[in-house]
Amino acid sequence: MYKYSTEHDIKHSSNWYKAVVKLGKQHRRVANMRKDALDKLTTYVAKNHGTVVIEV
């Protein structure tokens, strides 16, 4: 929704700036959710498995 607003509002208008800020908040939220899931997964693997082997 905010992506649409940033594309269709007049650039550098007040509403455009508001949409850019809201879009940035959504991107940050998704990035934090992904980081949290990865951190939880790696913590689980490290605690419950003695050895982790990565094959190249």
Side-chain angles (χ1 to χ4, degrees):
M1 183 172 141
Y2 299 116
K3 178 69 176 160
Y4 179 86
S5 293
T6 58
E7 292 173 350
H8 293 278
D9 285 347
I10 299 171
K11 279 194 174 180
H12 307 291
S13 67
S14 179
N15 286 333
W16 183 82
Y17 280 114
K18 288 183 210 173
V20 168
V21 169
K22 287 181 180 181
L23 183 61
K25 286 181 182 179
Q26 283 185 339
H27 280 284
R28 184 174 60 230
R29 183 169 183 260
V30 170
N32 287 341
M33 290 169 74
R34 288 180 179 156
K35 183 180 182 299
D36 183 55
L38 181 62
D39 288 345
K40 286 178 180 176
L41 174 67
T42 55
T43 300
Y44 170 80
V45 170
K47 284 185 177 181
N48 295 310
H49 302 284
T51 304
V52 178
V53 178
I54 300 174
E55 185 177 330
V56 180

